[in-house]
């Protein structure tokens, strides 16, 4: 199948799915296990952590995410940022969501709550607040507060989407006072498994890698599979601060893990 045709199909499916709704100095040298033959979409991480797709049902549609009880275990994670003295609930909702802006040919995601600036792959389509607002039947001015109210109620909320063809970047916020790495690994696994709806990737392999994110080592869950006749790669990084977990996803027909390592502080 032609790459452009695949890209058009998957881009449309991605927008519908996301709106219808990650300590080492080097990459772990664990062999990636091929865990799926064509037609079999069960996935096992190369680190030896077996994921059970049936154990969590995070629907790709936004409406089902609103009612999902994630049931997080009360364990801490090495990938959690130090707690801030400021109450997250007192933060400006717009600061919590962050903003993706265009700088030259590249998109840049900025988040003052996380003190984060992240350059994205070139030539991406950038979502705007009015798109999210329209999908949730609120005004643009009301969208940030509405989004954070949904997060506070326990609903994962997609707050950023940027993509062109198969190159995409998303940010989803979860409320979770006790970050559990295994639970979010299941979320990433299920997310990749459901890429492109009824025509998901086949021959899936996966591995846990490390990257330098905001000056610290963080795990990145990487999934690779065949989509049409192309290799499709998705990288998931989870970052926890003050009871909120941010899921950053960079995916496409290229490996964009290096973009995580190029993040800087806003100040």
């Amino acid at each position: 199948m032609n790459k452009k045709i695949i890209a058009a199909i998957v881009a449309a499916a991605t927008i519908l799915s996301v709106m219808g709704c990650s300590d080492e100095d080097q990459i772990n040298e664990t062999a990636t296990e091929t865990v799926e033959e064509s037609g079999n979409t069960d996935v096992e991480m190369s680190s030896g952590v077996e994921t059970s797709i049936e154990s969590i049902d995070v629907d790709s549609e936004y409406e089902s995410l609103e009612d999902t009880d994630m049931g997080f275990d009360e364990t801490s994670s090495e990938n959690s940022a130090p707690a801030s003295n400021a109450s997250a609930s007192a933060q400006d909702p717009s600061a919590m969501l962050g903003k993706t802006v265009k700088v030259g040919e590249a998109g840049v995601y900025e988040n003052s709550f996380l003190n984060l600036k992240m350059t994205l792959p070139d030539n991406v389509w950038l979502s705007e607040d009015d798109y999210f607002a329209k999908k949730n039947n609120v005004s643009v001015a009301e969208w940030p507060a509405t989004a954070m109210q949904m997060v506070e109620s326990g609903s994962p909320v997609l707050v950023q989407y940027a993509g062109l063809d198969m190159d995409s970047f998303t940010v989803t916020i979860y409320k979770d006072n006790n970050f559990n790495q295994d639970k979010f690994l299941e979320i990433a696994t299920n997310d990749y498994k459901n890429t492109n709806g009824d025509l998901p990737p086949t021959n899936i392999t996966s591995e846990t890698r490390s990257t330098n994110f905001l000056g610290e080592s963080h795990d990145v869950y990487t999934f690779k599979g065949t989509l049409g006749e192309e290799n499709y790669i998705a990288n998931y990084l989870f970052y926890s601060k003050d009871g909120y977990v941010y899921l950053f996803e960079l995916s496409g027909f290229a490996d964009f893990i290096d973009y995580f390592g190029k993040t800087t502080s806003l100040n």
Side-chain angles (χ1 to χ4, degrees):
M1 187 181 295
N2 182 278
K3 182 188 289 187
K4 286 293 183 181
I5 296 176
I6 299 172
I9 295 172
V10 178
T14 300
I15 294 174
L16 288 174
S17 65
V18 296
M19 287 311 302
C21 77
S22 224
D23 185 6
E24 301 171 358
D25 295 329
Q26 298 178 347
I27 291 175
N28 294 338
E29 296 181 356
T30 53
T32 301
E33 301 178 24
T34 300
V35 297
E36 176 187 288
E37 297 300 331
S38 183
N40 181 352
T41 54
D42 291 340
V43 179
E44 180 176 329
M45 296 301 291
S46 63
S47 59
V49 178
E50 183 176 354
T51 62
S52 173
I53 299 302
E54 291 75 23
S55 65
I56 184 168
D57 184 17
V58 182
D59 196 289
S60 61
E61 295 190 2
Y62 192 73
E63 288 80 4
S64 63
L65 281 177
E66 289 182 322
D67 300 323
T68 300
D69 180 3
M70 304 310 295
F72 300 118
D73 296 330
E74 296 186 358
T75 56
S76 61
S77 167
E78 294 178 354
N79 288 332
S80 298
S84 168
N85 290 329
S87 171
S89 61
Q91 295 286 334
D92 176 5
S94 295
M96 300 285 291
L97 270 58
K99 180 71 175 177
T100 306
V101 297
K102 192 78 170 180
V103 179
E105 293 300 314
V108 176
Y109 175 68
E110 299 179 349
N111 187 301
S112 58
F113 171 65
L114 299 179
N115 192 22
L116 177 151
K117 181 177 181 179
M118 181 177 178
T119 300
L120 310 178
D122 289 351
N123 299 309
V124 296
W125 170 78
L126 304 178
S127 63
E128 299 292 342
D129 284 350
D130 56 357
Y131 181 76
F132 292 97
K134 181 178 180 181
K135 287 293 182 180
N136 290 275
N137 299 313
V138 296
S139 69
V140 174
E142 293 171 327
W143 162 241
T146 298
M148 289 312 301
Q149 287 174 0
M150 295 164 64
V151 171
E152 293 291 347
S153 72
S155 300
V157 178
L158 175 80
V159 298
Q160 296 291 322
Y161 175 82
L164 176 67
D165 293 338
M166 285 302 299
D167 301 341
S168 62
F169 167 76
T170 67
V171 180
T172 304
I173 305 178
Y174 299 77
K175 178 69 172 180
D176 178 23
N177 290 313
N178 297 284
F179 178 84
N180 179 269
Q181 181 170 303
D182 290 343
K183 180 62 65 176
F184 281 96
L185 172 55
E186 292 182 84
I187 292 174
T189 302
N190 200 44
D191 184 81
Y192 187 84
K193 173 180 174 287
N194 287 287
T195 297
N196 203 31
D198 293 336
L199 296 173
T202 59
N203 305 313
I204 298 175
T205 63
S206 58
E207 62 181 320
T208 301
R209 302 189 288 177
S210 293
T211 191
N212 188 323
F213 185 76
L214 285 178
E216 299 177 348
S217 180
H218 285 269
D219 284 345
V220 174
Y221 303 128
T222 299
F223 294 81
K224 300 178 182 180
T226 303
L227 196 58
E229 297 177 354
E230 301 292 334
N231 294 322
Y232 181 71
I233 304 170
N235 292 299
Y236 302 88
L237 185 149
F238 296 92
Y239 189 82
S240 177
K241 179 180 179 180
D242 292 354
Y244 298 88
V245 177
Y246 286 71
L247 162 56
F248 299 98
E249 177 187 351
L250 277 168
S251 56
F253 287 127
D255 187 353
F256 295 124
I257 190 172
D258 288 345
Y259 285 87
F260 288 133
K262 296 176 182 179
T263 53
T264 60
S265 298
L266 281 173
N267 50 55

